[in-house]
Amino acid sequence: MPPRLIMVATTAISAACLSGLILGSFMCTLIVLYRKFNRDPDNIAPPVASCLGDLVTLILIGVLSNLLIPLLHTPIPFILGVLVVGIGVACFAFTLRSTYVRPLLTQGWTPLFGAMVISSGTGIILDIFVSRCEGFAVPAVVISRLQGAAGSISFVSRLSTSLHAAAVAPSHPSASATVRKDHEPSPGLVMLTLLLITLPVEIIFLGILDGLEWLNLPILSVAFGIVFFVVLWRKLLFIAPLLSTEIARGLT
């Protein structure tokens, strides 16, 4: 049991560290390029981070686990885990010395733990329905998560832009007004764009499941699934701009 526990823990922390390094470098580069071309990075950074985060982490977990399984009964997984933890402690100590980044270490923990609690709760609910409905686990990820992803993208993008515009307003009122009036898309256009992006993904995914005979999906089930998708998507995208506006108003 201890060798397996050490290998799993080492795989998890190593994948998390490598994912943070890869995605952090990629996102910083993307934001710099968007600022160079005078575009709002808040409109592209959240969806890219949302799409690549789980994908990159899962790929790294798969690769690292395949590499460490043959070394299960050797001290290499333990040494690698200690090395990764040591690097994390060293980075933490180095961050504390930076006056620009140090205040950020105490921020952002509440939504992180909140997301962990919500994710754990949805996992328990999903496990209950998987045991009752055979094959439900396959389409559940896309059916239940695409709308939330679209809503969170709209929420985070608008909140980031609103906070940035409010921060610029005292020193550059004309620039802030320009950001709000000229560069902010209408809510209807945002909703339509996200619908045209997410709905085909839902339909194509269900079509692949039926075409590969992984699931036998009656037409009525597909129709109800699409209707449920659109209704939930509409509610989330209606609530997200309201939440972002209220939070931005309260913080500024």
Side-chain angles (χ1 to χ4, degrees):
M1 185 64 181
R4 295 183 180 180
L5 178 63
I6 292 173
M7 192 208 71
V8 172
T10 300
T11 301
I13 61 177
S14 300
C17 291
L18 290 176
S19 176
L21 177 64
I22 295 172
L23 291 176
S25 302
F26 175 76
M27 295 304 298
C28 290
T29 304
L30 185 67
I31 291 173
V32 170
L33 289 176
Y34 262 73
R35 292 297 299 271
K36 182 179 179 181
F37 291 100
N38 197 24
R39 294 293 184 268
D40 186 4
D42 294 334
N43 292 328
I44 189 63
V48 171
S50 176
C51 295
L52 294 182
D54 294 341
L55 178 63
V56 173
T57 304
L58 290 175
I59 291 175
L60 290 174
I61 289 176
V63 172
L64 291 174
S65 61
N66 286 329
L67 293 176
L68 292 177
I69 284 178
L71 308 173
L72 179 62
H73 297 287
T74 66
I76 294 179
F78 178 76
I79 295 174
L80 179 60
V82 173
L83 180 62
V84 173
V85 172
I87 294 174
V89 173
C91 293
F92 179 76
F94 181 78
T95 304
L96 288 176
R97 300 172 56 185
S98 174
T99 57
Y100 299 101
V101 185
R102 183 171 54 194
L104 299 178
L105 293 177
T106 59
Q107 301 177 8
W109 292 103
T110 301
L112 178 61
F113 285 110
M116 292 175 59
V117 171
I118 295 173
S119 178
S120 300
T122 54
I124 295 173
I125 296 174
L126 177 62
D127 182 67
I128 294 174
F129 279 94
V130 166
S131 61
R132 294 180 180 178
C133 305
E134 183 180 358
F136 178 75
V138 180
V141 177
V142 173
I143 291 176
S144 61
R145 292 194 62 181
L146 269 181
Q147 307 94 323
S152 63
I153 289 169
S154 175
F155 173 75
V156 174
S157 300
R158 287 178 173 272
L159 178 59
S160 302
T161 303
S162 299
L163 291 175
H164 177 71
V168 173
S171 56
H172 300 84
S174 60
S176 176
T178 302
V179 170
R180 290 194 302 267
K181 294 180 180 179
D182 298 337
H183 297 282
E184 183 177 356
S186 64
L189 179 60
V190 172
M191 293 181 183
L192 180 60
T193 302
L194 290 175
L195 176 64
L196 294 178
I197 293 174
T198 54
L199 185 57
V201 174
E202 169 83 5
I203 297 174
I204 292 172
F205 182 78
L206 295 177
I208 292 175
L209 293 181
D210 186 70
L212 296 178
E213 297 183 352
W214 290 355
L215 283 178
N216 184 15
L217 297 173
I219 297 297
L220 188 60
S221 298
V222 175
F224 274 111
I226 294 176
V227 171
F228 170 77
F229 178 90
V230 174
V231 171
L232 184 56
W233 161 88
R234 181 65 180 87
K235 288 182 177 296
L236 290 173
L237 291 188
F238 177 77
I239 295 172
L242 299 179
L243 288 175
S244 62
T245 303
E246 292 299 324
I247 293 177
R249 186 181 304 168
L251 293 176
T252 53

